[in-house]
Amino acid sequence: MDTLSTNRAFGGTQGVYSHASTATGTDMTFSVFVPPHEPGAKLPVVWYLSGLTCTHANVTDKGEYRRACTELGLMLVAPDTSPRGDGVPDDPEGSYDFGLGAGFYVDATRAPFDQHYRMWTYVTEELPALVADRFPVDMARQGIMGHSMGGHGALTIGLRHPDRFRAVSAFAPIVAPSQVPWGRKALGGYLGDDAAAWRRHDAVALIEDGARVPALLVDQGAADQFLVEQLQPERLAKACADAGIDLTLRLQPGYDHSYYFISSFMADHLRWHAERLD
């Protein structure tokens, strides 16, 4: 692991790091905020998954999480959204919603993406092992959250690993990717036409198929330009109601899809996680 930068913030350390990933076959960059803590202490961790076109840098620079993480004693880890580098295939049409920056947190099975686009394995296995080895983290106290495509990732990973993640939340998540254009393009492009494989990466379908977590927190901007066509939180509300999952879905008037929205409610989400990671 190489240290790209470290900065003091709110008494803690904000770092950016890179390493050679065996999952993706590329170098990967991620950020970690470690709040001030007693020597030898092990800290709960919240994983933050970013959305389409983003890298680790978006939330690191704009998320406004460090004050709350310091107050609550939480680490925050932000990985990249896809593999990058020479030889990594991109959307041949050059669109923003597939390929580089749009890994959708799946392990691709369709060529040519299957060689590098293994973000599920990277986020759920390889990066946690690296973080556990190099940082003062208590892996028995993990939460996960994300935004948009990253909200999709947080929900699906949390639902499939309920024993690992004690708290799951999202900002404007893609809740039913198999039902909306962004998701159909990504799941088809990475996984092919196998409907069962799609359902394992669709939060609403996972709940319909029996996946359970005790509770979810979702914030959604009411002025989000993607709300009607791509996000459709009402699908998640129905699935959770049918399954008996305690969903707190907050429709925030006037807020859009940007980091102005995310930063406005970041502290709320971190407090929600801290209560469940105590």
Side-chain angles (χ1 to χ4, degrees):
M1 187 180 77
D2 294 323
T3 300
L4 302 183
S5 66
T6 57
N7 296 92
R8 198 73 169 160
F10 295 98
T13 300
Q14 177 64 68
V16 178
Y17 309 92
S18 70
H19 72 112
S21 167
T22 57
T24 68
T26 67
D27 289 342
M28 295 294 287
T29 302
F30 64 100
S31 74
V32 181
F33 178 68
V34 181
H37 58 281
E38 295 296 326
K42 296 290 188 179
L43 304 173
V45 60
V46 176
W47 301 85
Y48 179 92
L49 305 184
S50 296
L52 288 167
T53 75
C54 293
T55 71
H56 72 282
N58 295 76
V59 70
T60 306
D61 295 345
K62 303 175 184 178
E64 299 184 25
Y65 55 84
R66 282 170 283 267
R67 182 187 297 275
C69 282
T70 293
E71 293 172 353
L72 299 167
L74 296 174
M75 279 181 50
L76 191 139
V77 180
D80 203 347
T81 51
S82 78
R84 301 176 192 271
D86 294 341
V88 177
D90 196 5
D91 185 349
E93 298 180 358
S95 63
Y96 74 94
D97 56 357
F98 187 77
L100 297 180
F104 259 80
Y105 304 101
V106 303
D107 282 352
T109 56
R110 187 175 184 184
F113 304 100
D114 53 343
Q115 182 177 356
H116 297 294
Y117 283 79
R118 298 182 53 80
M119 290 302 294
W120 181 273
T121 295
Y122 179 71
V123 169
T124 65
E125 298 179 18
E126 184 177 15
L127 186 57
L130 178 63
V131 168
D133 184 58
R134 301 296 183 93
F135 295 92
V137 60
D138 180 357
M139 297 299 279
R141 293 188 290 164
Q142 296 185 68
I144 190 166
M145 65 177 173
H147 168 232
S148 193
M149 178 186 72
H152 140 76
L155 292 175
T156 56
I157 290 170
L159 284 162
R160 285 174 57 183
H161 294 282
D163 295 334
R164 183 189 306 182
F165 297 101
R166 291 163 52 178
V168 184
S169 72
F171 301 95
I174 306 169
V175 303
S178 62
Q179 304 298 318
V180 300
W182 276 344
R184 288 195 293 266
K185 180 176 181 177
L187 297 179
Y190 293 131
L191 304 177
D193 298 327
D194 182 355
W198 286 31
R199 292 187 72 82
R200 297 179 73 243
H201 292 285
D202 182 309
V204 168
L206 283 167
I207 294 169
E208 291 173 349
D209 292 345
R212 297 290 183 268
V213 291
L216 295 170
L217 171 62
V218 172
D219 273 299
Q220 172 64 62
D224 190 320
Q225 64 270 40
F226 304 113
L227 176 59
V228 174
E229 183 179 24
Q230 306 282 9
L231 305 178
Q232 303 180 4
E234 66 277 5
R235 292 181 182 270
L236 181 65
K238 182 181 185 305
C240 287
D242 291 345
I245 295 174
D246 181 10
L247 169 66
T248 300
L249 174 59
R250 306 191 304 186
L251 196 63
Q252 303 291 0
Y255 284 90
D256 58 18
H257 202 67
S258 71
Y259 269 86
Y260 296 109
F261 158 62
I262 296 166
S263 63
S264 297
F265 302 101
M266 176 66 81
D268 287 356
H269 281 243
L270 291 170
R271 283 190 291 268
W272 192 85
H273 280 259
E275 290 172 1
R276 287 154 180 82
L277 301 180
D278 190 10

